Amino acid sequence: MDRLLFMGTPDFAVPILEKLIKRYEIAGVVTQPDRRAGRGRKVEAPPVKAVALAHGLRVLQPPSLRQPEVVAELRTLAPEAIVVAAYGQILPPEVLGIPPKGCLNVHASLLPKYRGAAPIAAAILAGEEETGVTIMLMDEGMDTGPILSQATCPISPQDTRESLSARLAQLGADLLMDTLPRWLAGEIEPRPQDHSQATYSRIITKQDGLIDWSLSAVEIWRRCRAHYPWPGAYTYWRGKMLKVLRACLLYTS
């Protein structure tokens, strides 16, 4: 059985890890450190950590992958390949070079479109009718590595980032289960990306949820969907914050 190391953090990564557990030996799971979240600012563990612990897997939560002792520890796990899904850090060359079969990333867009931190929100904001998932072989760039496989997914007018993310996570898990064994068997030839067609998505901030009423109705509608559930769409009325949970377009003749 092939030995893998998994790196992931949010809900998007959970279905991917769960499918890997059923089929491969997982040497360890690397995820982001526990952090304070919510109104009470309680310390919360990443969703991936909970799944890993429930299956008795070794969990590592280094604040940085650039520390020599962290790289040495990962090397001792001796993975054949590393699978990454929304981990939250760029992998340094020292980590990329550990597995003989490389590091595979499950990215939630049809690369080279929407490289970067928030590809799902970016697709909704751009008014795309279709997006998808890419399995790519990682290099030192930001989502610039060669493509191993892709699968498409429609975006419905009702989709929020939350609903679309859930579907893409399942799609990514299924695609990985089809791609990974063929990659490990040497049956896939990586396909370079067309870098001239690349677009980028930036990190979403709390301020992105503030509605700019000078924008068109379509743009506001897209922002409400792209920023749900976080940071959420909000405005101010008579000095108080008003959260907009749902929005729809009304067409008049």
PDB file of all heavy atoms in Angstrom, residues 82-121:
ATOM      1  N   ILE A  82       2.912  13.453  -1.356  1.00  0.00           N
ATOM      2  CA  ILE A  82       2.182  14.336  -0.446  1.00  0.00           C
ATOM      3  C   ILE A  82       0.963  14.866  -1.180  1.00  0.00           C
ATOM      4  O   ILE A  82       1.075  15.321  -2.316  1.00  0.00           O
ATOM      5  CB  ILE A  82       3.064  15.512   0.030  1.00  0.00           C
ATOM      6  CG1 ILE A  82       4.234  15.006   0.873  1.00  0.00           C
ATOM      7  CG2 ILE A  82       2.236  16.512   0.841  1.00  0.00           C
ATOM      8  CD1 ILE A  82       5.192  16.104   1.322  1.00  0.00           C
ATOM      9  N   VAL A  83      -0.201  14.778  -0.538  1.00  0.00           N
ATOM     10  CA  VAL A  83      -1.439  15.328  -1.107  1.00  0.00           C
ATOM     11  C   VAL A  83      -1.815  16.570  -0.308  1.00  0.00           C
ATOM     12  O   VAL A  83      -1.886  16.532   0.922  1.00  0.00           O
ATOM     13  CB  VAL A  83      -2.583  14.296  -1.056  1.00  0.00           C
ATOM     14  CG1 VAL A  83      -3.895  14.939  -1.526  1.00  0.00           C
ATOM     15  CG2 VAL A  83      -2.250  13.087  -1.923  1.00  0.00           C
ATOM     16  N   VAL A  84      -2.042  17.670  -1.017  1.00  0.00           N
ATOM     17  CA  VAL A  84      -2.346  18.951  -0.390  1.00  0.00           C
ATOM     18  C   VAL A  84      -3.725  19.426  -0.832  1.00  0.00           C
ATOM     19  O   VAL A  84      -4.057  19.360  -2.021  1.00  0.00           O
ATOM     20  CB  VAL A  84      -1.285  20.011  -0.775  1.00  0.00           C
ATOM     21  CG1 VAL A  84      -1.584  21.339  -0.089  1.00  0.00           C
ATOM     22  CG2 VAL A  84       0.113  19.521  -0.422  1.00  0.00           C
ATOM     23  N   ALA A  85      -4.537  19.890   0.112  1.00  0.00           N
ATOM     24  CA  ALA A  85      -5.860  20.434  -0.201  1.00  0.00           C
ATOM     25  C   ALA A  85      -6.150  21.590   0.741  1.00  0.00           C
ATOM     26  O   ALA A  85      -6.442  21.377   1.918  1.00  0.00           O
ATOM     27  CB  ALA A  85      -6.937  19.353  -0.080  1.00  0.00           C
ATOM     28  N   ALA A  86      -6.024  22.814   0.236  1.00  0.00           N
ATOM     29  CA  ALA A  86      -6.329  24.012   1.022  1.00  0.00           C
ATOM     30  C   ALA A  86      -5.595  24.001   2.362  1.00  0.00           C
ATOM     31  O   ALA A  86      -6.191  24.223   3.417  1.00  0.00           O
ATOM     32  CB  ALA A  86      -7.844  24.124   1.245  1.00  0.00           C
ATOM     33  N   TYR A  87      -4.297  23.765   2.311  1.00  0.00           N
ATOM     34  CA  TYR A  87      -3.509  23.698   3.541  1.00  0.00           C
ATOM     35  C   TYR A  87      -3.359  25.073   4.185  1.00  0.00           C
ATOM     36  O   TYR A  87      -3.492  25.225   5.394  1.00  0.00           O
ATOM     37  CB  TYR A  87      -2.137  23.081   3.250  1.00  0.00           C
ATOM     38  CG  TYR A  87      -1.175  23.175   4.414  1.00  0.00           C
ATOM     39  CD1 TYR A  87      -1.526  22.684   5.674  1.00  0.00           C
ATOM     40  CD2 TYR A  87       0.075  23.768   4.260  1.00  0.00           C
ATOM     41  CE1 TYR A  87      -0.661  22.781   6.745  1.00  0.00           C
ATOM     42  CE2 TYR A  87       0.952  23.870   5.323  1.00  0.00           C
ATOM     43  CZ  TYR A  87       0.588  23.372   6.562  1.00  0.00           C
ATOM     44  OH  TYR A  87       1.449  23.473   7.622  1.00  0.00           O
ATOM     45  N   GLY A  88      -3.071  26.096   3.379  1.00  0.00           N
ATOM     46  CA  GLY A  88      -2.969  27.444   3.929  1.00  0.00           C
ATOM     47  C   GLY A  88      -1.568  27.998   4.008  1.00  0.00           C
ATOM     48  O   GLY A  88      -1.372  29.119   4.494  1.00  0.00           O
ATOM     49  N   GLN A  89      -0.579  27.224   3.554  1.00  0.00           N
ATOM     50  CA  GLN A  89       0.795  27.714   3.486  1.00  0.00           C
ATOM     51  C   GLN A  89       1.420  27.256   2.178  1.00  0.00           C
ATOM     52  O   GLN A  89       1.072  26.195   1.649  1.00  0.00           O
ATOM     53  CB  GLN A  89       1.658  27.173   4.633  1.00  0.00           C
ATOM     54  CG  GLN A  89       1.394  27.755   5.995  1.00  0.00           C
ATOM     55  CD  GLN A  89       2.425  27.279   7.011  1.00  0.00           C
ATOM     56  OE1 GLN A  89       3.597  27.116   6.705  1.00  0.00           O
ATOM     57  NE2 GLN A  89       1.968  27.030   8.233  1.00  0.00           N
ATOM     58  N   ILE A  90       2.354  28.054   1.666  1.00  0.00           N
ATOM     59  CA  ILE A  90       3.119  27.635   0.502  1.00  0.00           C
ATOM     60  C   ILE A  90       4.194  26.651   0.947  1.00  0.00           C
ATOM     61  O   ILE A  90       4.880  26.874   1.946  1.00  0.00           O
ATOM     62  CB  ILE A  90       3.773  28.852  -0.189  1.00  0.00           C
ATOM     63  CG1 ILE A  90       2.679  29.764  -0.771  1.00  0.00           C
ATOM     64  CG2 ILE A  90       4.730  28.414  -1.288  1.00  0.00           C
ATOM     65  CD1 ILE A  90       3.207  31.028  -1.404  1.00  0.00           C
ATOM     66  N   LEU A  91       4.336  25.545   0.236  1.00  0.00           N
ATOM     67  CA  LEU A  91       5.332  24.548   0.584  1.00  0.00           C
ATOM     68  C   LEU A  91       6.711  24.980   0.087  1.00  0.00           C
ATOM     69  O   LEU A  91       6.882  25.274  -1.098  1.00  0.00           O
ATOM     70  CB  LEU A  91       4.978  23.186  -0.036  1.00  0.00           C
ATOM     71  CG  LEU A  91       4.041  22.274   0.760  1.00  0.00           C
ATOM     72  CD1 LEU A  91       2.699  22.945   1.025  1.00  0.00           C
ATOM     73  CD2 LEU A  91       3.838  20.954   0.030  1.00  0.00           C
ATOM     74  N   PRO A  92       7.700  25.043   0.991  1.00  0.00           N
ATOM     75  CA  PRO A  92       9.050  25.426   0.572  1.00  0.00           C
ATOM     76  C   PRO A  92       9.713  24.299  -0.225  1.00  0.00           C
ATOM     77  O   PRO A  92       9.270  23.154  -0.174  1.00  0.00           O
ATOM     78  CB  PRO A  92       9.769  25.655   1.904  1.00  0.00           C
ATOM     79  CG  PRO A  92       9.052  24.784   2.881  1.00  0.00           C
ATOM     80  CD  PRO A  92       7.612  24.797   2.437  1.00  0.00           C
ATOM     81  N   PRO A  93      10.778  24.618  -0.961  1.00  0.00           N
ATOM     82  CA  PRO A  93      11.461  23.599  -1.772  1.00  0.00           C
ATOM     83  C   PRO A  93      11.899  22.381  -0.967  1.00  0.00           C
ATOM     84  O   PRO A  93      11.883  21.247  -1.478  1.00  0.00           O
ATOM     85  CB  PRO A  93      12.667  24.352  -2.332  1.00  0.00           C
ATOM     86  CG  PRO A  93      12.261  25.790  -2.314  1.00  0.00           C
ATOM     87  CD  PRO A  93      11.374  25.955  -1.133  1.00  0.00           C
ATOM     88  N   GLU A  94      12.289  22.606   0.296  1.00  0.00           N
ATOM     89  CA  GLU A  94      12.755  21.496   1.127  1.00  0.00           C
ATOM     90  C   GLU A  94      11.656  20.459   1.352  1.00  0.00           C
ATOM     91  O   GLU A  94      11.930  19.262   1.473  1.00  0.00           O
ATOM     92  CB  GLU A  94      13.243  22.014   2.483  1.00  0.00           C
ATOM     93  CG  GLU A  94      14.459  22.918   2.414  1.00  0.00           C
ATOM     94  CD  GLU A  94      14.131  24.352   2.034  1.00  0.00           C
ATOM     95  OE1 GLU A  94      12.933  24.675   1.898  1.00  0.00           O
ATOM     96  OE2 GLU A  94      15.072  25.147   1.881  1.00  0.00           O
ATOM     97  N   VAL A  95      10.407  20.906   1.421  1.00  0.00           N
ATOM     98  CA  VAL A  95       9.277  19.984   1.600  1.00  0.00           C
ATOM     99  C   VAL A  95       8.860  19.385   0.262  1.00  0.00           C
ATOM    100  O   VAL A  95       8.575  18.188   0.160  1.00  0.00           O
ATOM    101  CB  VAL A  95       8.087  20.701   2.267  1.00  0.00           C
ATOM    102  CG1 VAL A  95       6.867  19.792   2.321  1.00  0.00           C
ATOM    103  CG2 VAL A  95       8.473  21.164   3.672  1.00  0.00           C
ATOM    104  N   LEU A  96       8.839  20.221  -0.774  1.00  0.00           N
ATOM    105  CA  LEU A  96       8.467  19.722  -2.102  1.00  0.00           C
ATOM    106  C   LEU A  96       9.375  18.577  -2.554  1.00  0.00           C
ATOM    107  O   LEU A  96       8.948  17.687  -3.285  1.00  0.00           O
ATOM    108  CB  LEU A  96       8.543  20.862  -3.127  1.00  0.00           C
ATOM    109  CG  LEU A  96       7.500  21.979  -3.010  1.00  0.00           C
ATOM    110  CD1 LEU A  96       7.850  23.126  -3.963  1.00  0.00           C
ATOM    111  CD2 LEU A  96       6.102  21.461  -3.298  1.00  0.00           C
ATOM    112  N   GLY A  97      10.611  18.596  -2.108  1.00  0.00           N
ATOM    113  CA  GLY A  97      11.567  17.587  -2.546  1.00  0.00           C
ATOM    114  C   GLY A  97      11.557  16.305  -1.737  1.00  0.00           C
ATOM    115  O   GLY A  97      12.319  15.378  -2.052  1.00  0.00           O
ATOM    116  N   ILE A  98      10.720  16.214  -0.705  1.00  0.00           N
ATOM    117  CA  ILE A  98      10.718  15.016   0.150  1.00  0.00           C
ATOM    118  C   ILE A  98      10.175  13.775  -0.559  1.00  0.00           C
ATOM    119  O   ILE A  98      10.838  12.733  -0.604  1.00  0.00           O
ATOM    120  CB  ILE A  98       9.942  15.288   1.453  1.00  0.00           C
ATOM    121  CG1 ILE A  98      10.714  16.266   2.345  1.00  0.00           C
ATOM    122  CG2 ILE A  98       9.669  13.987   2.210  1.00  0.00           C
ATOM    123  CD1 ILE A  98       9.971  16.695   3.595  1.00  0.00           C
ATOM    124  N   PRO A  99       8.971  13.811  -1.121  1.00  0.00           N
ATOM    125  CA  PRO A  99       8.406  12.572  -1.676  1.00  0.00           C
ATOM    126  C   PRO A  99       8.915  12.273  -3.090  1.00  0.00           C
ATOM    127  O   PRO A  99       8.954  13.178  -3.936  1.00  0.00           O
ATOM    128  CB  PRO A  99       6.897  12.844  -1.686  1.00  0.00           C
ATOM    129  CG  PRO A  99       6.793  14.329  -1.831  1.00  0.00           C
ATOM    130  CD  PRO A  99       7.998  14.919  -1.151  1.00  0.00           C
ATOM    131  N   PRO A 100       9.253  11.045  -3.378  1.00  0.00           N
ATOM    132  CA  PRO A 100       9.744  10.704  -4.724  1.00  0.00           C
ATOM    133  C   PRO A 100       8.704  10.895  -5.817  1.00  0.00           C
ATOM    134  O   PRO A 100       9.050  11.154  -6.969  1.00  0.00           O
ATOM    135  CB  PRO A 100      10.145   9.228  -4.587  1.00  0.00           C
ATOM    136  CG  PRO A 100       9.445   8.730  -3.374  1.00  0.00           C
ATOM    137  CD  PRO A 100       9.312   9.893  -2.460  1.00  0.00           C
ATOM    138  N   LYS A 101       7.423  10.790  -5.457  1.00  0.00           N
ATOM    139  CA  LYS A 101       6.354  10.970  -6.442  1.00  0.00           C
ATOM    140  C   LYS A 101       5.767  12.379  -6.408  1.00  0.00           C
ATOM    141  O   LYS A 101       4.756  12.657  -7.050  1.00  0.00           O
ATOM    142  CB  LYS A 101       5.244   9.939  -6.220  1.00  0.00           C
ATOM    143  CG  LYS A 101       5.648   8.508  -6.527  1.00  0.00           C
ATOM    144  CD  LYS A 101       5.868   8.302  -8.030  1.00  0.00           C
ATOM    145  CE  LYS A 101       6.120   6.831  -8.337  1.00  0.00           C
ATOM    146  NZ  LYS A 101       6.278   6.597  -9.801  1.00  0.00           N
ATOM    147  N   GLY A 102       6.405  13.279  -5.675  1.00  0.00           N
ATOM    148  CA  GLY A 102       6.001  14.669  -5.702  1.00  0.00           C
ATOM    149  C   GLY A 102       4.833  15.016  -4.790  1.00  0.00           C
ATOM    150  O   GLY A 102       4.319  14.181  -4.041  1.00  0.00           O
ATOM    151  N   CYS A 103       4.423  16.285  -4.871  1.00  0.00           N
ATOM    152  CA  CYS A 103       3.318  16.823  -4.076  1.00  0.00           C
ATOM    153  C   CYS A 103       2.168  17.166  -5.005  1.00  0.00           C
ATOM    154  O   CYS A 103       2.329  17.950  -5.946  1.00  0.00           O
ATOM    155  CB  CYS A 103       3.761  18.066  -3.320  1.00  0.00           C
ATOM    156  SG  CYS A 103       5.145  17.796  -2.187  1.00  0.00           S
ATOM    157  N   LEU A 104       1.007  16.574  -4.753  1.00  0.00           N
ATOM    158  CA  LEU A 104      -0.174  16.802  -5.576  1.00  0.00           C
ATOM    159  C   LEU A 104      -1.134  17.729  -4.840  1.00  0.00           C
ATOM    160  O   LEU A 104      -1.425  17.524  -3.658  1.00  0.00           O
ATOM    161  CB  LEU A 104      -0.890  15.488  -5.892  1.00  0.00           C
ATOM    162  CG  LEU A 104      -0.300  14.599  -6.985  1.00  0.00           C
ATOM    163  CD1 LEU A 104       1.063  14.049  -6.568  1.00  0.00           C
ATOM    164  CD2 LEU A 104      -1.242  13.448  -7.318  1.00  0.00           C
ATOM    165  N   ASN A 105      -1.615  18.743  -5.537  1.00  0.00           N
ATOM    166  CA  ASN A 105      -2.530  19.705  -4.942  1.00  0.00           C
ATOM    167  C   ASN A 105      -3.915  19.575  -5.564  1.00  0.00           C
ATOM    168  O   ASN A 105      -4.053  19.492  -6.790  1.00  0.00           O
ATOM    169  CB  ASN A 105      -2.007  21.124  -5.159  1.00  0.00           C
ATOM    170  CG  ASN A 105      -2.883  22.170  -4.479  1.00  0.00           C
ATOM    171  OD1 ASN A 105      -3.459  21.914  -3.428  1.00  0.00           O
ATOM    172  ND2 ASN A 105      -2.978  23.334  -5.072  1.00  0.00           N
ATOM    173  N   VAL A 106      -4.946  19.552  -4.708  1.00  0.00           N
ATOM    174  CA  VAL A 106      -6.340  19.571  -5.169  1.00  0.00           C
ATOM    175  C   VAL A 106      -6.792  21.026  -5.101  1.00  0.00           C
ATOM    176  O   VAL A 106      -7.055  21.565  -4.018  1.00  0.00           O
ATOM    177  CB  VAL A 106      -7.234  18.682  -4.285  1.00  0.00           C
ATOM    178  CG1 VAL A 106      -8.657  18.647  -4.834  1.00  0.00           C
ATOM    179  CG2 VAL A 106      -6.660  17.273  -4.178  1.00  0.00           C
ATOM    180  N   HIS A 107      -6.873  21.668  -6.262  1.00  0.00           N
ATOM    181  CA  HIS A 107      -7.167  23.109  -6.319  1.00  0.00           C
ATOM    182  C   HIS A 107      -8.564  23.344  -6.884  1.00  0.00           C
ATOM    183  O   HIS A 107      -8.933  22.759  -7.907  1.00  0.00           O
ATOM    184  CB  HIS A 107      -6.127  23.810  -7.196  1.00  0.00           C
ATOM    185  CG  HIS A 107      -6.301  25.296  -7.240  1.00  0.00           C
ATOM    186  ND1 HIS A 107      -5.887  26.112  -6.206  1.00  0.00           N
ATOM    187  CD2 HIS A 107      -6.838  26.106  -8.181  1.00  0.00           C
ATOM    188  CE1 HIS A 107      -6.168  27.375  -6.525  1.00  0.00           C
ATOM    189  NE2 HIS A 107      -6.743  27.398  -7.703  1.00  0.00           N
ATOM    190  N   ALA A 108      -9.318  24.227  -6.245  1.00  0.00           N
ATOM    191  CA  ALA A 108     -10.727  24.424  -6.584  1.00  0.00           C
ATOM    192  C   ALA A 108     -10.938  25.450  -7.687  1.00  0.00           C
ATOM    193  O   ALA A 108     -11.649  26.446  -7.521  1.00  0.00           O
ATOM    194  CB  ALA A 108     -11.514  24.815  -5.342  1.00  0.00           C
ATOM    195  N   SER A 109     -10.305  25.230  -8.834  1.00  0.00           N
ATOM    196  CA  SER A 109     -10.589  26.014 -10.034  1.00  0.00           C
ATOM    197  C   SER A 109     -10.056  25.252 -11.232  1.00  0.00           C
ATOM    198  O   SER A 109      -9.353  24.251 -11.081  1.00  0.00           O
ATOM    199  CB  SER A 109      -9.948  27.406  -9.970  1.00  0.00           C
ATOM    200  OG  SER A 109      -8.577  27.362 -10.343  1.00  0.00           O
ATOM    201  N   LEU A 110     -10.390  25.740 -12.407  1.00  0.00           N
ATOM    202  CA  LEU A 110      -9.864  25.155 -13.637  1.00  0.00           C
ATOM    203  C   LEU A 110      -8.609  25.943 -14.015  1.00  0.00           C
ATOM    204  O   LEU A 110      -8.662  26.894 -14.779  1.00  0.00           O
ATOM    205  CB  LEU A 110     -10.922  25.209 -14.751  1.00  0.00           C
ATOM    206  CG  LEU A 110     -12.191  24.398 -14.489  1.00  0.00           C
ATOM    207  CD1 LEU A 110     -13.229  24.648 -15.580  1.00  0.00           C
ATOM    208  CD2 LEU A 110     -11.878  22.904 -14.396  1.00  0.00           C
ATOM    209  N   LEU A 111      -7.500  25.553 -13.420  1.00  0.00           N
ATOM    210  CA  LEU A 111      -6.239  26.241 -13.695  1.00  0.00           C
ATOM    211  C   LEU A 111      -5.939  26.275 -15.189  1.00  0.00           C
ATOM    212  O   LEU A 111      -6.299  25.335 -15.912  1.00  0.00           O
ATOM    213  CB  LEU A 111      -5.105  25.547 -12.934  1.00  0.00           C
ATOM    214  CG  LEU A 111      -5.156  25.673 -11.402  1.00  0.00           C
ATOM    215  CD1 LEU A 111      -4.107  24.779 -10.755  1.00  0.00           C
ATOM    216  CD2 LEU A 111      -4.970  27.115 -10.965  1.00  0.00           C
ATOM    217  N   PRO A 112      -5.349  27.388 -15.653  1.00  0.00           N
ATOM    218  CA  PRO A 112      -4.699  28.468 -14.892  1.00  0.00           C
ATOM    219  C   PRO A 112      -5.619  29.568 -14.377  1.00  0.00           C
ATOM    220  O   PRO A 112      -5.129  30.561 -13.829  1.00  0.00           O
ATOM    221  CB  PRO A 112      -3.707  29.034 -15.904  1.00  0.00           C
ATOM    222  CG  PRO A 112      -4.372  28.835 -17.228  1.00  0.00           C
ATOM    223  CD  PRO A 112      -5.081  27.512 -17.107  1.00  0.00           C
ATOM    224  N   LYS A 113      -6.929  29.422 -14.526  1.00  0.00           N
ATOM    225  CA  LYS A 113      -7.841  30.431 -13.977  1.00  0.00           C
ATOM    226  C   LYS A 113      -7.870  30.355 -12.454  1.00  0.00           C
ATOM    227  O   LYS A 113      -7.922  29.278 -11.872  1.00  0.00           O
ATOM    228  CB  LYS A 113      -9.254  30.212 -14.507  1.00  0.00           C
ATOM    229  CG  LYS A 113      -9.597  31.027 -15.740  1.00  0.00           C
ATOM    230  CD  LYS A 113     -11.093  30.970 -16.016  1.00  0.00           C
ATOM    231  CE  LYS A 113     -11.485  31.942 -17.120  1.00  0.00           C
ATOM    232  NZ  LYS A 113     -12.946  31.937 -17.336  1.00  0.00           N
ATOM    233  N   TYR A 114      -7.882  31.500 -11.833  1.00  0.00           N
ATOM    234  CA  TYR A 114      -8.090  31.649 -10.400  1.00  0.00           C
ATOM    235  C   TYR A 114      -7.083  30.878  -9.554  1.00  0.00           C
ATOM    236  O   TYR A 114      -7.437  30.083  -8.692  1.00  0.00           O
ATOM    237  CB  TYR A 114      -9.533  31.280 -10.028  1.00  0.00           C
ATOM    238  CG  TYR A 114     -10.537  32.032 -10.850  1.00  0.00           C
ATOM    239  CD1 TYR A 114     -11.482  31.359 -11.631  1.00  0.00           C
ATOM    240  CD2 TYR A 114     -10.509  33.418 -10.904  1.00  0.00           C
ATOM    241  CE1 TYR A 114     -12.370  32.060 -12.434  1.00  0.00           C
ATOM    242  CE2 TYR A 114     -11.401  34.121 -11.700  1.00  0.00           C
ATOM    243  CZ  TYR A 114     -12.326  33.432 -12.460  1.00  0.00           C
ATOM    244  OH  TYR A 114     -13.202  34.131 -13.251  1.00  0.00           O
ATOM    245  N   ARG A 115      -5.822  31.135  -9.825  1.00  0.00           N
ATOM    246  CA  ARG A 115      -4.793  30.704  -8.900  1.00  0.00           C
ATOM    247  C   ARG A 115      -4.949  31.505  -7.602  1.00  0.00           C
ATOM    248  O   ARG A 115      -5.588  32.540  -7.577  1.00  0.00           O
ATOM    249  CB  ARG A 115      -3.405  30.961  -9.497  1.00  0.00           C
ATOM    250  CG  ARG A 115      -3.106  30.156 -10.751  1.00  0.00           C
ATOM    251  CD  ARG A 115      -1.798  30.620 -11.380  1.00  0.00           C
ATOM    252  NE  ARG A 115      -1.443  29.827 -12.564  1.00  0.00           N
ATOM    253  CZ  ARG A 115      -0.414  30.090 -13.364  1.00  0.00           C
ATOM    254  NH1 ARG A 115       0.358  31.142 -13.109  1.00  0.00           N
ATOM    255  NH2 ARG A 115      -0.158  29.319 -14.403  1.00  0.00           N
ATOM    256  N   GLY A 116      -4.354  31.007  -6.533  1.00  0.00           N
ATOM    257  CA  GLY A 116      -4.342  31.805  -5.318  1.00  0.00           C
ATOM    258  C   GLY A 116      -5.274  31.316  -4.226  1.00  0.00           C
ATOM    259  O   GLY A 116      -5.744  30.179  -4.236  1.00  0.00           O
ATOM    260  N   ALA A 117      -5.571  32.227  -3.287  1.00  0.00           N
ATOM    261  CA  ALA A 117      -6.166  31.864  -2.005  1.00  0.00           C
ATOM    262  C   ALA A 117      -7.672  31.641  -2.017  1.00  0.00           C
ATOM    263  O   ALA A 117      -8.187  30.902  -1.182  1.00  0.00           O
ATOM    264  CB  ALA A 117      -5.830  32.940  -0.970  1.00  0.00           C
ATOM    265  N   ALA A 118      -8.406  32.280  -2.925  1.00  0.00           N
ATOM    266  CA  ALA A 118      -9.878  32.218  -2.852  1.00  0.00           C
ATOM    267  C   ALA A 118     -10.487  31.968  -4.226  1.00  0.00           C
ATOM    268  O   ALA A 118     -11.263  32.783  -4.731  1.00  0.00           O
ATOM    269  CB  ALA A 118     -10.421  33.510  -2.250  1.00  0.00           C
ATOM    270  N   PRO A 119     -10.192  30.832  -4.859  1.00  0.00           N
ATOM    271  CA  PRO A 119     -10.668  30.589  -6.225  1.00  0.00           C
ATOM    272  C   PRO A 119     -12.182  30.419  -6.335  1.00  0.00           C
ATOM    273  O   PRO A 119     -12.767  30.766  -7.358  1.00  0.00           O
ATOM    274  CB  PRO A 119      -9.936  29.306  -6.628  1.00  0.00           C
ATOM    275  CG  PRO A 119      -9.641  28.614  -5.338  1.00  0.00           C
ATOM    276  CD  PRO A 119      -9.349  29.715  -4.367  1.00  0.00           C
ATOM    277  N   ILE A 120     -12.816  29.892  -5.312  1.00  0.00           N
ATOM    278  CA  ILE A 120     -14.271  29.658  -5.377  1.00  0.00           C
ATOM    279  C   ILE A 120     -15.007  30.994  -5.338  1.00  0.00           C
ATOM    280  O   ILE A 120     -15.909  31.247  -6.146  1.00  0.00           O
ATOM    281  CB  ILE A 120     -14.723  28.734  -4.230  1.00  0.00           C
ATOM    282  CG1 ILE A 120     -14.005  27.382  -4.336  1.00  0.00           C
ATOM    283  CG2 ILE A 120     -16.242  28.547  -4.261  1.00  0.00           C
ATOM    284  CD1 ILE A 120     -14.271  26.446  -3.180  1.00  0.00           C
ATOM    285  N   ALA A 121     -14.627  31.852  -4.422  1.00  0.00           N
ATOM    286  CA  ALA A 121     -15.234  33.185  -4.362  1.00  0.00           C
ATOM    287  C   ALA A 121     -14.966  33.957  -5.643  1.00  0.00           C
ATOM    288  O   ALA A 121     -15.853  34.644  -6.166  1.00  0.00           O
ATOM    289  CB  ALA A 121     -14.690  33.956  -3.160  1.00  0.00           C
TER     290      ALA A 121
END
